[in-house]
Amino acid sequence: MKIGIDDIGLSVPQHFFALEELAERHGIDPQKYLVGIGQEFMAVPAPDEDIVTLAANAALPLLDDASRASIATVILATESGIDQSKAAGLFVHSLLGLRADCRVVEFKQACYGATAGLQMARALVAQRPHEKVLVIATDIARYEQNSEGECTQGAGAVAMIVAENPRLLELHPHQGRYSLDVSDFWRPNLRSTALVDGKLSIEVYLESLRNAWQSYRADGGLGLEDMSFLCFHQPFTKMAKKAFSVFEAIEPEAAKALGEKAYSTSQLYGKAIGNCYTASLYIALLSLLDNSDEDLTGRNIGLFSYGSGSVGEFFSATVVPGYQAHSRRKAHARMLASRTRLGHEQYSNWFYGDNHPAVADYSTPYVTGGAFRYGGCEGYRRQYESTALSLKMAS
Ligand code: CAA
């Protein structure tokens, strides 16, 4: 049975901040961020945007009457949870008008959660092939202001429909996994920003990749020589180059034959958006599918997912004939091209201001141009609403 990604969509906030300007504020050479880290911009959510609105915006274009009727599970993966108890996916399920006899669950393991979601979705579709699973990766990456991590912030969501006989990517059954209890990046309860040991996090990421690759090969996975492209979890796009160097060390001939083009197209979106934790790997995948000028039909793609703390997984997929007909590349290009640049003060207010205070009742200003907005809290109950855009898209 062929199971995989039948449809995939991206959503990013409509505002961004340039890392060149951040470098000026930090009094350092902009080339450190642009080249050394490999980031140009970070996506900045407005006060009335959060992981729920990003998730719902990413999924909305994928839905019609037929897909609404066949989605029986929603798995929302995030590091940026909005409630200690209730799954954020329940708000998304409601905003999207999905059927009531649907299971909704939230997955958490730092940046890895969506990959666990994808594997669970694959197993559910194998069990009940007439049903589809909506997997959404959605995050806002936040570090303390003026910390080393600030230049790797970002925000965005990727929604994927997993189904039998997929129209985009067939997932292979081989899995390479590696878990290790380590404190390289974490976010204690009640903190809105992550704590990180940056250098350790890079070391553990690379160790995790080496081990996950061995595990994938031992599970009967493809050799590197059978792959055309590699997509890595990209907290910052330079990380893809570091990850590729693992293959240059352990599979030198195959890595040389692949060269930098194995991952360079997958870096394009990440450079313009920044880290989106759970969504970053899938943004890399979309960047490859949307921006490659080659026909990718029949090509094998290796994917490495990493979530600090830590879990790594290597898996692979084949691009399905006819995939181009289902591409949303034009809509994604429009979304990125129409963003507005923020100055430092506005970015700082939105990322670090007290826009979502820990009080029972507050409202947010109307800023978003997206299909859904976060209106604030009433008695600690989060309030979401559809905007005129979602009504227009539905009609
Ligand atoms: N021109 C060009 N390059 C320059 C430069 C200049 N003027 N100045 C410095 N550089 C280069 C450095 O040589 C270095 O390159 P290499 O990594 O190839 O050696 C690069 O810029 C970064 O410089 P530093 O190592 O000095 O940077 P830093 O100490 O400020 O921290 C960081 C970098 C550790 C990534 C930090 O941004 C951080 O902590 N980020 C958050 C954590 C993170 O993203 N970890 C990644 C793995 S964990 C993960 O993947 C999960 C997740 O999503 C968080």
Side-chain angles (χ1 to χ4, degrees), residues 29 32 36 111 143 148 198-199 201 233 235 238 242 275 308:
D29 180 356
K32 172 171 174 183
C111 311
Y143 295 90
E148 286 166 357
K199 299 287 184 288
S201 71
H233 167 56
K238 177 74 162 294
K242 290 179 189 289
N275 196 358
S308 290

Side-chain angles (χ1 to χ4, degrees), residues 1-6 125 129 163-169 320:
M1 183 190 292
K2 292 182 177 174
I3 300 173
I5 300 174
D6 190 58
V125 172
E164 190 187 20
N165 297 324
R167 294 174 299 173
L168 299 178
L169 282 173
V320 169

Side-chain angles (χ1 to χ4, degrees), residues 7 27 90 93 110 112 138 148 167 174 227 233 247 281 298 330 340 361 384:
D7 204 350
L90 283 160
H93 173 266
Y112 166 74
T138 179
E148 286 166 357
R167 294 174 299 173
H174 319 291
M227 290 181 192
H233 167 56
F247 289 105
L281 169 63
K330 285 189 184 147
T340 304
D361 298 284
Y384 292 95

Side-chain angles (χ1 to χ4, degrees), residues 50-64:
D50 71 357
I51 57 154
V52 168
T53 63
L54 286 168
N57 279 316
L60 184 65
L62 279 51
L63 299 177
D64 56 17

Side-chain angles (χ1 to χ4, degrees), residues 341-360:
R341 180 171 167 165
L342 298 178
H344 186 266
E345 193 181 342
Q346 183 79 294
Y347 146 71
S348 203
N349 281 341
W350 281 2
F351 233 109
Y352 295 106
D354 197 14
N355 297 302
H356 299 170
V359 297

Side-chain angles (χ1 to χ4, degrees), residues 15-19 21-22 25-26 42-47 140-147 150 153 192-193 340-356:
H15 299 86
F16 71 91
F17 181 57
L19 291 196
E21 201 175 330
L22 185 67
R25 301 292 299 201
H26 288 176
M42 69 169 84
V44 180
I140 300 170
R142 289 179 196 278
Y143 295 90
E144 279 198 7
Q145 192 157 27
N146 301 322
S147 71
E150 186 180 358
Q153 296 180 140
S192 60
T193 53
T340 304
R341 180 171 167 165
L342 298 178
H344 186 266
E345 193 181 342
Q346 183 79 294
Y347 146 71
S348 203
N349 281 341
W350 281 2
F351 233 109
Y352 295 106
D354 197 14
N355 297 302
H356 299 170

